[in-house]
Amino acid sequence: MPVTTFASMILAVIAASGMTVWAIAEFGVIKVLPGLIALGLLARWGLTHVPGDDEPA
């Protein structure tokens, strides 16, 4: 993995955590938590295993 990609990934995680803390402080946990759960489920769905072309379905 190139250094710039790794650095961008680290900065994205830091920015996302900062935005999460800001949103919780601004709007409260009750309003932010459903969005965080939805993002987590979307990420879980997006990272599921997809069989290759040469594997049987």
Side-chain angles (χ1 to χ4, degrees), residues 6-22:
F6 184 70
S8 297
M9 216 167 43
I10 296 296
L11 289 174
V13 168
I14 292 171
S17 64
M19 287 179 61
T20 302
V21 170
W22 169 80

Side-chain angles (χ1 to χ4, degrees), residues 14-51:
I14 292 171
S17 64
M19 287 179 61
T20 302
V21 170
W22 169 80
I24 289 173
E26 186 73 24
F27 303 111
V29 175
I30 300 300
K31 291 184 179 179
V32 176
L33 193 59
L36 291 175
I37 292 172
L39 284 174
L41 290 173
L42 183 65
R44 183 178 175 192
W45 173 77
L47 294 172
T48 56
H49 176 71
V50 177

